[in-house]
Amino acid sequence: MIITCDNCKTRYKVADDILTKPALKVRCYKCNHRFTVYKNDPSDDSFLLQDEITAADHRIITLSNQKGGVAKTTTCLNLAVALAQMGKKVLVVDFDVQANLTILLGFRKTRSFYELLNKEVKGINDIILHTKYPNLSLLPSNSKMALLKKRYLKQHNFEYLLRNRLQEVEKKYDHILIDTPPSIEFFTLNALIAAQLVIVPTTCEYLSMHGVSQIGDIINVLKGIDHDIEYKVLITMFDKQKTSERVINEKIRRKYGAVLCSTFIEIDDKMQESHIVNLPIQYYDEKSRSAGQYQALARELIE
Ligand SMILES: Nc1ncnc2c1ncn2[C@@H]1O[C@H](COP(=O)(O)OP(=O)(O)OP(=O)(O)O)[C@@H](O)[C@H]1O
Ligand SMILES: [Mg+2]
């Protein structure tokens, strides 16, 4: 169970069994603020919250918004590269049949999660590729992935397939970032179940914002069935010259303030150019505005 300090918002993981009624006074290790939660033994007067949740608890990060074209893949790639450049070992998982992430990393005709489930390879390590970028590996996608949806959707617990397979390798990486398609079905549900943190990229457009609330609803359902999962909203491709974008930006800030990333990504021609030459922005133009913004996002996530 997670307890969040009322004052400084530091989050703590606490064993479930100490947190049933009646009330328990707790004190935050970070800011010393006292507040009340609930526990079994009323004779205990106070309980010091100490096991703060650290970035390691956010090892698996899913990028998801069912609205298309909001920079899920772009964020997955460039955030992963920024983390890798900070010395973190990173695995990116292309969990989208479009295979955009695989293509952007310079691979075609690879094996994928399909071959793994189909037992055409011995284990997940056989499909993970080392990219040409230091510290960055890829679990690629291919078009056969489309067959998985039909084959497994009716299977009991189909949504745990990715999480179970990642358990084999997750300790090898500081972060695993999962890219998802613009829909909520087999692939996205698997990626949400596998994640500790979901980043929901959104542009400052009405329908993109609607996608955020849909993902938020699903995450609340998962939390309701005792799933340890958090989400953060990331504004992408923000064009501050446009009045409509400034208005929606303000709405997003009001609605999602508490879970909004302080970093936001602005629209940048350099980003589109970097995609044309299949390079992460940091390798195409490390001085560009969006390269700096993805570095800032990486720092925000690990600090
Ligand atoms: N900061 C940016 N500035 C300008 N263009 C951007 C920026 N970020 C992404 N783009 C462009 O937006 C388009 C969509 O990006 P991307 O493919 O990452 O979105 P997506 O959410 O993964 O799409 P899909 O839902 O189809 O998977 C791409 O053409 C990309 O080059
Ligand atoms: Mg994509």
PDB file of all heavy atoms in Angstrom, residues 1-7 10 12 14-15 18-19 22-39 44-50:
ATOM      1  N   MET A   1       0.851  -1.200   0.000  1.00  0.00           N
ATOM      2  CA  MET A   1       0.000   0.000   0.000  1.00  0.00           C
ATOM      3  C   MET A   1       0.890   1.255   0.000  1.00  0.00           C
ATOM      4  O   MET A   1       1.976   1.243   0.570  1.00  0.00           O
ATOM      5  CB  MET A   1      -0.868  -0.025   1.251  1.00  0.00           C
ATOM      6  CG  MET A   1      -1.883   1.082   1.277  1.00  0.00           C
ATOM      7  SD  MET A   1      -2.964   0.850   2.685  1.00  0.00           S
ATOM      8  CE  MET A   1      -4.522   1.288   1.995  1.00  0.00           C
ATOM      9  N   ILE A   2       0.408   2.291  -0.636  1.00  0.00           N
ATOM     10  CA  ILE A   2       1.199   3.522  -0.744  1.00  0.00           C
ATOM     11  C   ILE A   2       0.590   4.601   0.166  1.00  0.00           C
ATOM     12  O   ILE A   2      -0.617   4.824   0.145  1.00  0.00           O
ATOM     13  CB  ILE A   2       1.176   4.062  -2.190  1.00  0.00           C
ATOM     14  CG1 ILE A   2       1.503   2.965  -3.210  1.00  0.00           C
ATOM     15  CG2 ILE A   2       2.076   5.271  -2.343  1.00  0.00           C
ATOM     16  CD1 ILE A   2       2.898   2.492  -3.198  1.00  0.00           C
ATOM     17  N   ILE A   3       1.438   5.271   0.941  1.00  0.00           N
ATOM     18  CA  ILE A   3       0.976   6.434   1.714  1.00  0.00           C
ATOM     19  C   ILE A   3       1.719   7.658   1.181  1.00  0.00           C
ATOM     20  O   ILE A   3       2.934   7.618   0.995  1.00  0.00           O
ATOM     21  CB  ILE A   3       1.309   6.282   3.220  1.00  0.00           C
ATOM     22  CG1 ILE A   3       0.608   5.058   3.801  1.00  0.00           C
ATOM     23  CG2 ILE A   3       0.886   7.533   3.985  1.00  0.00           C
ATOM     24  CD1 ILE A   3       0.874   4.866   5.276  1.00  0.00           C
ATOM     25  N   THR A   4       0.985   8.710   0.935  1.00  0.00           N
ATOM     26  CA  THR A   4       1.620   9.941   0.460  1.00  0.00           C
ATOM     27  C   THR A   4       1.538  10.995   1.559  1.00  0.00           C
ATOM     28  O   THR A   4       0.463  11.231   2.120  1.00  0.00           O
ATOM     29  CB  THR A   4       0.896  10.462  -0.800  1.00  0.00           C
ATOM     30  OG1 THR A   4       0.857   9.400  -1.750  1.00  0.00           O
ATOM     31  CG2 THR A   4       1.623  11.645  -1.410  1.00  0.00           C
ATOM     32  N   CYS A   5       2.665  11.609   1.856  1.00  0.00           N
ATOM     33  CA  CYS A   5       2.678  12.655   2.889  1.00  0.00           C
ATOM     34  C   CYS A   5       1.801  13.831   2.442  1.00  0.00           C
ATOM     35  O   CYS A   5       1.949  14.329   1.324  1.00  0.00           O
ATOM     36  CB  CYS A   5       4.114  13.128   3.130  1.00  0.00           C
ATOM     37  SG  CYS A   5       4.182  14.588   4.174  1.00  0.00           S
ATOM     38  N   ASP A   6       0.907  14.249   3.329  1.00  0.00           N
ATOM     39  CA  ASP A   6      -0.002  15.361   3.019  1.00  0.00           C
ATOM     40  C   ASP A   6       0.748  16.634   2.671  1.00  0.00           C
ATOM     41  O   ASP A   6       0.276  17.463   1.908  1.00  0.00           O
ATOM     42  CB  ASP A   6      -0.814  15.721   4.282  1.00  0.00           C
ATOM     43  CG  ASP A   6      -1.917  14.724   4.512  1.00  0.00           C
ATOM     44  OD1 ASP A   6      -2.130  13.893   3.629  1.00  0.00           O
ATOM     45  OD2 ASP A   6      -2.535  14.786   5.593  1.00  0.00           O
ATOM     46  N   ASN A   7       1.934  16.779   3.272  1.00  0.00           N
ATOM     47  CA  ASN A   7       2.642  18.044   3.175  1.00  0.00           C
ATOM     48  C   ASN A   7       3.598  18.091   1.980  1.00  0.00           C
ATOM     49  O   ASN A   7       3.446  18.905   1.076  1.00  0.00           O
ATOM     50  CB  ASN A   7       3.409  18.274   4.482  1.00  0.00           C
ATOM     51  CG  ASN A   7       4.105  19.596   4.499  1.00  0.00           C
ATOM     52  OD1 ASN A   7       3.513  20.596   4.096  1.00  0.00           O
ATOM     53  ND2 ASN A   7       5.351  19.616   4.927  1.00  0.00           N
ATOM     54  N   THR A  10       5.890  13.228  -0.468  1.00  0.00           N
ATOM     55  CA  THR A  10       6.776  12.062  -0.560  1.00  0.00           C
ATOM     56  C   THR A  10       5.927  10.808  -0.395  1.00  0.00           C
ATOM     57  O   THR A  10       4.990  10.776   0.406  1.00  0.00           O
ATOM     58  CB  THR A  10       7.844  12.108   0.564  1.00  0.00           C
ATOM     59  OG1 THR A  10       8.552  13.321   0.420  1.00  0.00           O
ATOM     60  CG2 THR A  10       8.808  10.930   0.461  1.00  0.00           C
ATOM     61  N   TYR A  12       5.465   6.642   0.292  1.00  0.00           N
ATOM     62  CA  TYR A  12       6.056   5.532   1.042  1.00  0.00           C
ATOM     63  C   TYR A  12       5.292   4.256   0.763  1.00  0.00           C
ATOM     64  O   TYR A  12       4.065   4.274   0.649  1.00  0.00           O
ATOM     65  CB  TYR A  12       5.995   5.805   2.546  1.00  0.00           C
ATOM     66  CG  TYR A  12       6.763   7.025   2.978  1.00  0.00           C
ATOM     67  CD1 TYR A  12       6.151   8.263   3.033  1.00  0.00           C
ATOM     68  CD2 TYR A  12       8.106   6.928   3.315  1.00  0.00           C
ATOM     69  CE1 TYR A  12       6.850   9.397   3.414  1.00  0.00           C
ATOM     70  CE2 TYR A  12       8.813   8.055   3.706  1.00  0.00           C
ATOM     71  CZ  TYR A  12       8.183   9.278   3.750  1.00  0.00           C
ATOM     72  OH  TYR A  12       8.886  10.380   4.128  1.00  0.00           O
ATOM     73  N   VAL A  14       4.187   0.785   2.303  1.00  0.00           N
ATOM     74  CA  VAL A  14       4.000   0.244   3.652  1.00  0.00           C
ATOM     75  C   VAL A  14       3.260  -1.084   3.546  1.00  0.00           C
ATOM     76  O   VAL A  14       2.371  -1.244   2.701  1.00  0.00           O
ATOM     77  CB  VAL A  14       3.149   1.237   4.498  1.00  0.00           C
ATOM     78  CG1 VAL A  14       3.008   0.742   5.919  1.00  0.00           C
ATOM     79  CG2 VAL A  14       3.799   2.607   4.506  1.00  0.00           C
ATOM     80  N   ALA A  15       3.637  -2.040   4.400  1.00  0.00           N
ATOM     81  CA  ALA A  15       2.966  -3.343   4.374  1.00  0.00           C
ATOM     82  C   ALA A  15       1.463  -3.152   4.591  1.00  0.00           C
ATOM     83  O   ALA A  15       1.042  -2.367   5.445  1.00  0.00           O
ATOM     84  CB  ALA A  15       3.534  -4.236   5.471  1.00  0.00           C
ATOM     85  N   ILE A  18      -0.601  -3.397   8.285  1.00  0.00           N
ATOM     86  CA  ILE A  18      -0.627  -2.423   9.389  1.00  0.00           C
ATOM     87  C   ILE A  18      -1.608  -1.289   9.117  1.00  0.00           C
ATOM     88  O   ILE A  18      -1.783  -0.399   9.936  1.00  0.00           O
ATOM     89  CB  ILE A  18       0.769  -1.818   9.685  1.00  0.00           C
ATOM     90  CG1 ILE A  18       1.299  -1.087   8.469  1.00  0.00           C
ATOM     91  CG2 ILE A  18       1.735  -2.843  10.215  1.00  0.00           C
ATOM     92  CD1 ILE A  18       2.396  -0.128   8.835  1.00  0.00           C
ATOM     93  N   LEU A  19      -2.258  -1.346   7.982  1.00  0.00           N
ATOM     94  CA  LEU A  19      -3.077  -0.189   7.621  1.00  0.00           C
ATOM     95  C   LEU A  19      -4.571  -0.472   7.538  1.00  0.00           C
ATOM     96  O   LEU A  19      -5.211  -0.177   6.557  1.00  0.00           O
ATOM     97  CB  LEU A  19      -2.580   0.374   6.293  1.00  0.00           C
ATOM     98  CG  LEU A  19      -1.263   1.106   6.438  1.00  0.00           C
ATOM     99  CD1 LEU A  19      -0.710   1.488   5.093  1.00  0.00           C
ATOM    100  CD2 LEU A  19      -1.436   2.329   7.301  1.00  0.00           C
ATOM    101  N   PRO A  22      -8.233   1.044  13.480  1.00  0.00           N
ATOM    102  CA  PRO A  22      -8.495   2.486  13.578  1.00  0.00           C
ATOM    103  C   PRO A  22      -7.284   3.340  13.197  1.00  0.00           C
ATOM    104  O   PRO A  22      -6.299   2.834  12.695  1.00  0.00           O
ATOM    105  CB  PRO A  22      -8.837   2.657  15.045  1.00  0.00           C
ATOM    106  CG  PRO A  22      -8.082   1.570  15.713  1.00  0.00           C
ATOM    107  CD  PRO A  22      -8.091   0.408  14.779  1.00  0.00           C
ATOM    108  N   ALA A  23      -7.415   4.607  13.509  1.00  0.00           N
ATOM    109  CA  ALA A  23      -6.464   5.587  13.005  1.00  0.00           C
ATOM    110  C   ALA A  23      -5.054   5.402  13.548  1.00  0.00           C
ATOM    111  O   ALA A  23      -4.861   5.011  14.685  1.00  0.00           O
ATOM    112  CB  ALA A  23      -6.959   6.980  13.367  1.00  0.00           C
ATOM    113  N   LEU A  24      -4.098   5.687  12.693  1.00  0.00           N
ATOM    114  CA  LEU A  24      -2.682   5.618  13.072  1.00  0.00           C
ATOM    115  C   LEU A  24      -2.041   6.961  12.726  1.00  0.00           C
ATOM    116  O   LEU A  24      -2.205   7.469  11.618  1.00  0.00           O
ATOM    117  CB  LEU A  24      -2.006   4.501  12.263  1.00  0.00           C
ATOM    118  CG  LEU A  24      -0.490   4.494  12.202  1.00  0.00           C
ATOM    119  CD1 LEU A  24       0.068   4.063  13.554  1.00  0.00           C
ATOM    120  CD2 LEU A  24      -0.017   3.556  11.105  1.00  0.00           C
ATOM    121  N   LYS A  25      -1.322   7.507  13.702  1.00  0.00           N
ATOM    122  CA  LYS A  25      -0.634   8.764  13.402  1.00  0.00           C
ATOM    123  C   LYS A  25       0.700   8.427  12.760  1.00  0.00           C
ATOM    124  O   LYS A  25       1.426   7.582  13.281  1.00  0.00           O
ATOM    125  CB  LYS A  25      -0.393   9.543  14.692  1.00  0.00           C
ATOM    126  CG  LYS A  25      -1.649  10.106  15.302  1.00  0.00           C
ATOM    127  CD  LYS A  25      -1.316  10.770  16.606  1.00  0.00           C
ATOM    128  CE  LYS A  25      -2.593  11.060  17.382  1.00  0.00           C
ATOM    129  NZ  LYS A  25      -2.334  11.209  18.802  1.00  0.00           N
ATOM    130  N   VAL A  26       1.015   9.073  11.665  1.00  0.00           N
ATOM    131  CA  VAL A  26       2.302   8.825  11.018  1.00  0.00           C
ATOM    132  C   VAL A  26       3.081  10.134  10.904  1.00  0.00           C
ATOM    133  O   VAL A  26       2.516  11.227  10.953  1.00  0.00           O
ATOM    134  CB  VAL A  26       2.125   8.193   9.614  1.00  0.00           C
ATOM    135  CG1 VAL A  26       1.516   6.813   9.713  1.00  0.00           C
ATOM    136  CG2 VAL A  26       1.302   9.083   8.718  1.00  0.00           C
ATOM    137  N   ARG A  27       4.389   9.973  10.773  1.00  0.00           N
ATOM    138  CA  ARG A  27       5.250  11.152  10.670  1.00  0.00           C
ATOM    139  C   ARG A  27       6.174  10.941   9.469  1.00  0.00           C
ATOM    140  O   ARG A  27       6.797   9.883   9.312  1.00  0.00           O
ATOM    141  CB  ARG A  27       6.069  11.281  11.960  1.00  0.00           C
ATOM    142  CG  ARG A  27       6.950  12.508  12.035  1.00  0.00           C
ATOM    143  CD  ARG A  27       7.263  12.839  13.497  1.00  0.00           C
ATOM    144  NE  ARG A  27       7.642  11.659  14.262  1.00  0.00           N
ATOM    145  CZ  ARG A  27       8.902  11.220  14.379  1.00  0.00           C
ATOM    146  NH1 ARG A  27       9.890  11.851  13.787  1.00  0.00           N
ATOM    147  NH2 ARG A  27       9.171  10.142  15.091  1.00  0.00           N
ATOM    148  N   CYS A  28       6.250  11.937   8.600  1.00  0.00           N
ATOM    149  CA  CYS A  28       7.038  11.818   7.378  1.00  0.00           C
ATOM    150  C   CYS A  28       8.528  11.944   7.695  1.00  0.00           C
ATOM    151  O   CYS A  28       8.955  12.878   8.382  1.00  0.00           O
ATOM    152  CB  CYS A  28       6.610  12.895   6.385  1.00  0.00           C
ATOM    153  SG  CYS A  28       7.632  12.956   4.923  1.00  0.00           S
ATOM    154  N   TYR A  29       9.310  10.993   7.187  1.00  0.00           N
ATOM    155  CA  TYR A  29      10.746  10.967   7.408  1.00  0.00           C
ATOM    156  C   TYR A  29      11.419  12.200   6.796  1.00  0.00           C
ATOM    157  O   TYR A  29      12.371  12.752   7.321  1.00  0.00           O
ATOM    158  CB  TYR A  29      11.288   9.692   6.759  1.00  0.00           C
ATOM    159  CG  TYR A  29      12.764   9.475   6.893  1.00  0.00           C
ATOM    160  CD1 TYR A  29      13.346   9.226   8.133  1.00  0.00           C
ATOM    161  CD2 TYR A  29      13.587   9.494   5.759  1.00  0.00           C
ATOM    162  CE1 TYR A  29      14.701   9.002   8.236  1.00  0.00           C
ATOM    163  CE2 TYR A  29      14.939   9.274   5.868  1.00  0.00           C
ATOM    164  CZ  TYR A  29      15.499   9.031   7.110  1.00  0.00           C
ATOM    165  OH  TYR A  29      16.834   8.807   7.216  1.00  0.00           O
ATOM    166  N   LYS A  30      10.855  12.653   5.680  1.00  0.00           N
ATOM    167  CA  LYS A  30      11.461  13.771   4.947  1.00  0.00           C
ATOM    168  C   LYS A  30      11.195  15.124   5.612  1.00  0.00           C
ATOM    169  O   LYS A  30      12.104  15.882   5.897  1.00  0.00           O
ATOM    170  CB  LYS A  30      10.876  13.814   3.528  1.00  0.00           C
ATOM    171  CG  LYS A  30      11.644  13.032   2.491  1.00  0.00           C
ATOM    172  CD  LYS A  30      12.509  13.983   1.674  1.00  0.00           C
ATOM    173  CE  LYS A  30      13.463  13.264   0.761  1.00  0.00           C
ATOM    174  NZ  LYS A  30      12.863  12.958  -0.532  1.00  0.00           N
ATOM    175  N   CYS A  31       9.890  15.431   5.864  1.00  0.00           N
ATOM    176  CA  CYS A  31       9.567  16.790   6.321  1.00  0.00           C
ATOM    177  C   CYS A  31       9.037  16.818   7.755  1.00  0.00           C
ATOM    178  O   CYS A  31       8.686  17.871   8.264  1.00  0.00           O
ATOM    179  CB  CYS A  31       8.551  17.433   5.374  1.00  0.00           C
ATOM    180  SG  CYS A  31       6.926  16.687   5.489  1.00  0.00           S
ATOM    181  N   ASN A  32       8.955  15.651   8.360  1.00  0.00           N
ATOM    182  CA  ASN A  32       8.521  15.546   9.761  1.00  0.00           C
ATOM    183  C   ASN A  32       7.042  15.882   9.972  1.00  0.00           C
ATOM    184  O   ASN A  32       6.583  16.003  11.107  1.00  0.00           O
ATOM    185  CB  ASN A  32       9.395  16.444  10.656  1.00  0.00           C
ATOM    186  CG  ASN A  32       9.669  15.755  11.979  1.00  0.00           C
ATOM    187  OD1 ASN A  32       9.638  14.529  12.049  1.00  0.00           O
ATOM    188  ND2 ASN A  32       9.909  16.513  13.023  1.00  0.00           N
ATOM    189  N   HIS A  33       6.304  16.039   8.917  1.00  0.00           N
ATOM    190  CA  HIS A  33       4.878  16.361   9.025  1.00  0.00           C
ATOM    191  C   HIS A  33       4.115  15.163   9.611  1.00  0.00           C
ATOM    192  O   HIS A  33       4.367  14.022   9.247  1.00  0.00           O
ATOM    193  CB  HIS A  33       4.354  16.689   7.628  1.00  0.00           C
ATOM    194  CG  HIS A  33       2.884  16.915   7.558  1.00  0.00           C
ATOM    195  ND1 HIS A  33       2.268  17.959   8.216  1.00  0.00           N
ATOM    196  CD2 HIS A  33       1.902  16.226   6.912  1.00  0.00           C
ATOM    197  CE1 HIS A  33       0.973  17.899   7.966  1.00  0.00           C
ATOM    198  NE2 HIS A  33       0.722  16.859   7.187  1.00  0.00           N
ATOM    199  N   ARG A  34       3.188  15.456  10.547  1.00  0.00           N
ATOM    200  CA  ARG A  34       2.376  14.384  11.155  1.00  0.00           C
ATOM    201  C   ARG A  34       0.991  14.377  10.525  1.00  0.00           C
ATOM    202  O   ARG A  34       0.391  15.427  10.344  1.00  0.00           O
ATOM    203  CB  ARG A  34       2.205  14.655  12.651  1.00  0.00           C
ATOM    204  CG  ARG A  34       3.400  14.271  13.479  1.00  0.00           C
ATOM    205  CD  ARG A  34       3.213  14.752  14.912  1.00  0.00           C
ATOM    206  NE  ARG A  34       4.352  14.365  15.710  1.00  0.00           N
ATOM    207  CZ  ARG A  34       4.461  13.190  16.319  1.00  0.00           C
ATOM    208  NH1 ARG A  34       3.487  12.313  16.246  1.00  0.00           N
ATOM    209  NH2 ARG A  34       5.538  12.901  17.000  1.00  0.00           N
ATOM    210  N   PHE A  35       0.516  13.198  10.202  1.00  0.00           N
ATOM    211  CA  PHE A  35      -0.864  13.084   9.723  1.00  0.00           C
ATOM    212  C   PHE A  35      -1.387  11.692  10.068  1.00  0.00           C
ATOM    213  O   PHE A  35      -0.677  10.902  10.688  1.00  0.00           O
ATOM    214  CB  PHE A  35      -0.974  13.406   8.221  1.00  0.00           C
ATOM    215  CG  PHE A  35      -0.107  12.555   7.329  1.00  0.00           C
ATOM    216  CD1 PHE A  35      -0.658  11.506   6.600  1.00  0.00           C
ATOM    217  CD2 PHE A  35       1.247  12.799   7.197  1.00  0.00           C
ATOM    218  CE1 PHE A  35       0.133  10.731   5.768  1.00  0.00           C
ATOM    219  CE2 PHE A  35       2.043  12.023   6.372  1.00  0.00           C
ATOM    220  CZ  PHE A  35       1.483  11.001   5.654  1.00  0.00           C
ATOM    221  N   THR A  36      -2.627  11.420   9.693  1.00  0.00           N
ATOM    222  CA  THR A  36      -3.262  10.196  10.184  1.00  0.00           C
ATOM    223  C   THR A  36      -3.600   9.219   9.064  1.00  0.00           C
ATOM    224  O   THR A  36      -4.128   9.617   8.031  1.00  0.00           O
ATOM    225  CB  THR A  36      -4.571  10.567  10.933  1.00  0.00           C
ATOM    226  OG1 THR A  36      -4.218  11.508  11.937  1.00  0.00           O
ATOM    227  CG2 THR A  36      -5.196   9.352  11.588  1.00  0.00           C
ATOM    228  N   VAL A  37      -3.245   7.952   9.268  1.00  0.00           N
ATOM    229  CA  VAL A  37      -3.738   6.876   8.403  1.00  0.00           C
ATOM    230  C   VAL A  37      -4.364   5.831   9.338  1.00  0.00           C
ATOM    231  O   VAL A  37      -4.521   6.083  10.524  1.00  0.00           O
ATOM    232  CB  VAL A  37      -2.622   6.271   7.523  1.00  0.00           C
ATOM    233  CG1 VAL A  37      -2.170   7.237   6.484  1.00  0.00           C
ATOM    234  CG2 VAL A  37      -1.455   5.827   8.375  1.00  0.00           C
ATOM    235  N   TYR A  38      -4.687   4.671   8.833  1.00  0.00           N
ATOM    236  CA  TYR A  38      -5.399   3.714   9.678  1.00  0.00           C
ATOM    237  C   TYR A  38      -4.608   2.430   9.904  1.00  0.00           C
ATOM    238  O   TYR A  38      -3.889   1.966   9.038  1.00  0.00           O
ATOM    239  CB  TYR A  38      -6.747   3.394   9.030  1.00  0.00           C
ATOM    240  CG  TYR A  38      -7.582   4.627   8.914  1.00  0.00           C
ATOM    241  CD1 TYR A  38      -7.542   5.383   7.746  1.00  0.00           C
ATOM    242  CD2 TYR A  38      -8.342   5.075   9.973  1.00  0.00           C
ATOM    243  CE1 TYR A  38      -8.276   6.541   7.641  1.00  0.00           C
ATOM    244  CE2 TYR A  38      -9.069   6.243   9.873  1.00  0.00           C
ATOM    245  CZ  TYR A  38      -9.037   6.975   8.713  1.00  0.00           C
ATOM    246  OH  TYR A  38      -9.750   8.123   8.606  1.00  0.00           O
ATOM    247  N   LYS A  39      -4.717   1.844  11.068  1.00  0.00           N
ATOM    248  CA  LYS A  39      -3.983   0.618  11.364  1.00  0.00           C
ATOM    249  C   LYS A  39      -4.710  -0.279  12.368  1.00  0.00           C
ATOM    250  O   LYS A  39      -5.708   0.109  12.966  1.00  0.00           O
ATOM    251  CB  LYS A  39      -2.576   0.947  11.870  1.00  0.00           C
ATOM    252  CG  LYS A  39      -2.578   1.607  13.235  1.00  0.00           C
ATOM    253  CD  LYS A  39      -1.214   1.546  13.866  1.00  0.00           C
ATOM    254  CE  LYS A  39      -0.885   0.135  14.241  1.00  0.00           C
ATOM    255  NZ  LYS A  39      -0.100   0.043  15.468  1.00  0.00           N
ATOM    256  N   ASP A  44      -0.470   1.635  19.512  1.00  0.00           N
ATOM    257  CA  ASP A  44       0.709   2.286  18.930  1.00  0.00           C
ATOM    258  C   ASP A  44       0.357   3.729  18.601  1.00  0.00           C
ATOM    259  O   ASP A  44      -0.550   3.994  17.823  1.00  0.00           O
ATOM    260  CB  ASP A  44       1.076   1.574  17.624  1.00  0.00           C
ATOM    261  CG  ASP A  44       2.452   0.992  17.706  1.00  0.00           C
ATOM    262  OD1 ASP A  44       3.034   1.027  18.794  1.00  0.00           O
ATOM    263  OD2 ASP A  44       2.920   0.493  16.670  1.00  0.00           O
ATOM    264  N   ASP A  45       1.086   4.663  19.172  1.00  0.00           N
ATOM    265  CA  ASP A  45       0.694   6.061  19.018  1.00  0.00           C
ATOM    266  C   ASP A  45       1.168   6.668  17.705  1.00  0.00           C
ATOM    267  O   ASP A  45       0.488   7.447  17.064  1.00  0.00           O
ATOM    268  CB  ASP A  45       1.234   6.855  20.211  1.00  0.00           C
ATOM    269  CG  ASP A  45       0.810   8.297  20.124  1.00  0.00           C
ATOM    270  OD1 ASP A  45      -0.381   8.549  19.851  1.00  0.00           O
ATOM    271  OD2 ASP A  45       1.678   9.152  20.279  1.00  0.00           O
ATOM    272  N   SER A  46       2.353   6.259  17.289  1.00  0.00           N
ATOM    273  CA  SER A  46       2.889   6.915  16.093  1.00  0.00           C
ATOM    274  C   SER A  46       3.749   5.932  15.301  1.00  0.00           C
ATOM    275  O   SER A  46       4.292   4.971  15.839  1.00  0.00           O
ATOM    276  CB  SER A  46       3.720   8.112  16.547  1.00  0.00           C
ATOM    277  OG  SER A  46       4.589   8.502  15.539  1.00  0.00           O
ATOM    278  N   PHE A  47       3.889   6.178  14.032  1.00  0.00           N
ATOM    279  CA  PHE A  47       4.610   5.274  13.146  1.00  0.00           C
ATOM    280  C   PHE A  47       5.416   6.124  12.178  1.00  0.00           C
ATOM    281  O   PHE A  47       4.859   6.968  11.470  1.00  0.00           O
ATOM    282  CB  PHE A  47       3.570   4.417  12.412  1.00  0.00           C
ATOM    283  CG  PHE A  47       4.147   3.420  11.463  1.00  0.00           C
ATOM    284  CD1 PHE A  47       4.497   2.159  11.905  1.00  0.00           C
ATOM    285  CD2 PHE A  47       4.332   3.732  10.122  1.00  0.00           C
ATOM    286  CE1 PHE A  47       5.018   1.228  11.016  1.00  0.00           C
ATOM    287  CE2 PHE A  47       4.845   2.810   9.245  1.00  0.00           C
ATOM    288  CZ  PHE A  47       5.180   1.555   9.698  1.00  0.00           C
ATOM    289  N   LEU A  48       6.718   5.955  12.184  1.00  0.00           N
ATOM    290  CA  LEU A  48       7.564   6.795  11.330  1.00  0.00           C
ATOM    291  C   LEU A  48       7.637   6.193   9.918  1.00  0.00           C
ATOM    292  O   LEU A  48       8.025   5.050   9.731  1.00  0.00           O
ATOM    293  CB  LEU A  48       8.977   6.886  11.931  1.00  0.00           C
ATOM    294  CG  LEU A  48       9.989   7.734  11.163  1.00  0.00           C
ATOM    295  CD1 LEU A  48       9.548   9.191  11.110  1.00  0.00           C
ATOM    296  CD2 LEU A  48      11.364   7.626  11.796  1.00  0.00           C
ATOM    297  N   LEU A  49       7.248   6.988   8.962  1.00  0.00           N
ATOM    298  CA  LEU A  49       7.306   6.530   7.569  1.00  0.00           C
ATOM    299  C   LEU A  49       8.730   6.661   7.066  1.00  0.00           C
ATOM    300  O   LEU A  49       9.295   7.738   7.058  1.00  0.00           O
ATOM    301  CB  LEU A  49       6.388   7.397   6.707  1.00  0.00           C
ATOM    302  CG  LEU A  49       4.899   7.252   6.965  1.00  0.00           C
ATOM    303  CD1 LEU A  49       4.135   8.324   6.219  1.00  0.00           C
ATOM    304  CD2 LEU A  49       4.417   5.881   6.547  1.00  0.00           C
ATOM    305  N   GLN A  50       9.325   5.541   6.661  1.00  0.00           N
ATOM    306  CA  GLN A  50      10.733   5.626   6.327  1.00  0.00           C
ATOM    307  C   GLN A  50      11.103   5.088   4.943  1.00  0.00           C
ATOM    308  O   GLN A  50      12.027   5.575   4.330  1.00  0.00           O
ATOM    309  CB  GLN A  50      11.541   4.862   7.372  1.00  0.00           C
ATOM    310  CG  GLN A  50      12.550   5.782   8.028  1.00  0.00           C
ATOM    311  CD  GLN A  50      13.219   5.126   9.197  1.00  0.00           C
ATOM    312  OE1 GLN A  50      12.690   4.174   9.766  1.00  0.00           O
ATOM    313  NE2 GLN A  50      14.377   5.617   9.562  1.00  0.00           N
TER     314      GLN A  50
END
